[in-house]
Amino acid sequence: MRALRARFPRLASTLPSVDLRVGETPVERWCVDGVSLLAKRDDLSSATLGGNKVRALELLLAGVGPDHRLLTVGSTGSTHAVAVAHYGARLGAVTDVITWPQEDNAISRETARRLARRARVSAARSPVDAYLRAVFRRATQNVHWIPAGGSSPLGALGHANAALELVAQLQRQGRPTPSEIVVPLGSGGTVAGLLLGLSVAGVRTRVVGVRVVPQSVGNRWRVMRLARQARALLARLSGEAVAEIAPSRLEIVQDAYGGAYGRETEIARNAARALRVTGGPTRDGTYSAKAFGHALGRARGAPGDSVLFWLTFDGRWLEAADEGAPLLRPPL
């Protein structure tokens, strides 16, 4: 939370967090398939298990210890659930996850196997069923609730911190801020937090959320509501006025979804393959690769450094699996 607390000093005493060893992630320039664009490597946010989820968990796991039982929900291939279980275990907590079915693919199957090794998993018939079970568990048992995707006003502040981190990085490097940041839109926490952080930084960058979930989940109303709730929380905790979030700074791309959560598309497969050919990191074809494919299209012919792709998926465990190493590194 370094960047956010530097901007709002009162947060040092009003915003509890836990040290999950999240470091500043690099900004790189990629040239893929003849297209140049920037990439924020949030897949490298942590040495043990990176990606965007750990930024929210720094706040959502504050105060958690060995006497806690964590509860969350997600699809069978939820990387969020894996992150909760992984970092919960580092803090000595036990994690329960209620999952619902999704369209199966190779990465979701491997993710489900990882999750089964780290958490107590119970199956629900649908997202509605999973949430109803979670409501009952929260009402009848002593559990520490972690929202799906880590997407809550508190969790979004972790991504606001990441946006401020990015702006400071680019200023140190003498680079202008990009015109657009392209990021997958799932449960909405990352997009909402980036909108808030960029607003606080006073830059006019547009956030382009590439929808990879049903429209009932990933939509403008939900994202803007979450961003405004996070803004109100930040104002209360900081004791300062916080800049309004302009709705014009959010664009949602609808045509990358593919018809079902977890369903690969040809554009996503081609984009992930093109990145690997250039020596880039592994992308999952159902989430980050969909956003990357769209980012490539927007960057083609655009002025240099005007498009930045926000990398949310840590594919290092897949590369380790290819080499016969364990799928999940042990906790530090």
Side-chain angles (χ1 to χ4, degrees):
M1 295 299 113
R2 188 176 304 152
L4 199 61
R5 286 177 175 144
R7 171 61 182 82
F8 299 100
R10 185 178 167 185
L11 296 180
S13 60
T14 61
L15 183 63
S17 62
V18 60
D19 182 10
L20 299 181
R21 303 186 187 182
V22 177
E24 180 176 285
T25 56
V27 177
E28 300 176 348
R29 179 180 287 108
W30 290 351
C31 186
V32 179
D33 199 23
V35 179
S36 178
L37 75 168
L38 297 176
K40 175 69 166 165
R41 294 292 306 271
D42 243 32
D43 58 320
L44 304 178
S45 56
S46 172
T48 57
L49 183 64
N52 60 328
K53 304 304 182 185
V54 64
R55 290 193 181 267
L57 291 177
E58 282 196 304
L59 299 171
L60 297 174
L61 293 178
V64 167
D67 58 337
H68 285 86
R69 180 174 290 277
L70 308 178
L71 174 66
T72 193
V73 297
S75 66
T76 51
S78 170
T79 55
H80 156 75
V82 170
V84 172
H86 175 73
Y87 287 104
R90 282 181 53 171
L91 299 172
V94 175
T95 300
D96 290 347
V97 181
I98 306 172
T99 63
W100 59 78
Q102 67 167 85
E103 188 158 314
D104 216 8
N105 58 70
I107 292 179
S108 72
R109 289 191 293 271
E110 290 294 347
T111 303
R113 281 193 279 270
R114 295 174 78 196
L115 183 59
R117 293 201 296 269
R118 285 289 183 185
R120 189 173 72 176
V121 180
S122 56
R125 295 184 299 273
S126 67
V128 172
D129 183 30
Y131 274 100
L132 288 175
R133 294 186 187 200
V135 168
F136 177 78
R137 291 279 304 278
R138 293 170 67 187
T140 60
Q141 300 177 21
N142 184 22
V143 295
H144 183 96
W145 168 245
I146 305 293
S151 294
S152 68
L154 180 60
L157 294 185
H159 303 295
N161 178 76
L164 290 170
E165 173 187 297
L166 170 69
V167 172
Q169 279 179 289
L170 295 175
Q171 289 175 345
R172 291 197 309 267
Q173 297 168 7
R175 293 178 176 179
T177 54
S179 301
E180 301 176 338
I181 293 176
V182 181
V183 60
L185 171 58
S187 55
T190 301
V191 174
L194 292 180
L195 283 168
L196 173 58
L198 294 169
S199 178
V200 168
V203 298
R204 298 179 62 83
T205 301
R206 178 190 297 266
V207 179
V208 180
V210 179
R211 182 171 64 86
V212 297
V213 295
Q215 196 165 6
S216 59
V217 176
N219 58 69
R220 172 175 292 275
W221 181 85
R222 286 174 60 94
V223 172
M224 290 304 303
R225 178 174 179 266
L226 181 54
R228 288 169 178 144
Q229 289 174 333
R231 173 182 173 271
L233 176 62
L234 179 58
R236 179 171 62 82
L237 294 175
S238 68
E240 298 185 31
V242 178
E244 294 279 354
I245 302 169
S248 61
R249 297 293 170 220
L250 171 64
E251 177 183 344
I252 296 180
V253 175
Q254 306 287 0
D255 59 2
Y257 175 47
Y261 181 76
R263 179 176 297 171
E264 295 185 344
T265 65
E266 190 63 26
I267 291 175
R269 281 193 293 268
N270 290 340
R273 189 178 304 116
L275 181 59
R276 290 296 289 160
V277 166
T278 65
T282 299
R283 302 292 90 227
D284 67 302
T286 67
Y287 212 96
S288 60
K290 291 179 178 179
F292 181 59
H294 188 78
L296 278 180
R298 293 183 86 105
R300 196 178 300 276
D305 293 357
S306 63
V307 176
L308 181 143
F309 170 59
W310 199 279
L311 208 64
T312 61
F313 176 78
D314 184 3
R316 290 172 295 177
W317 67 277
L318 292 171
E319 294 160 3
D322 290 341
E323 298 165 3
L327 290 181
L328 186 60
R329 300 170 181 82
L332 294 178

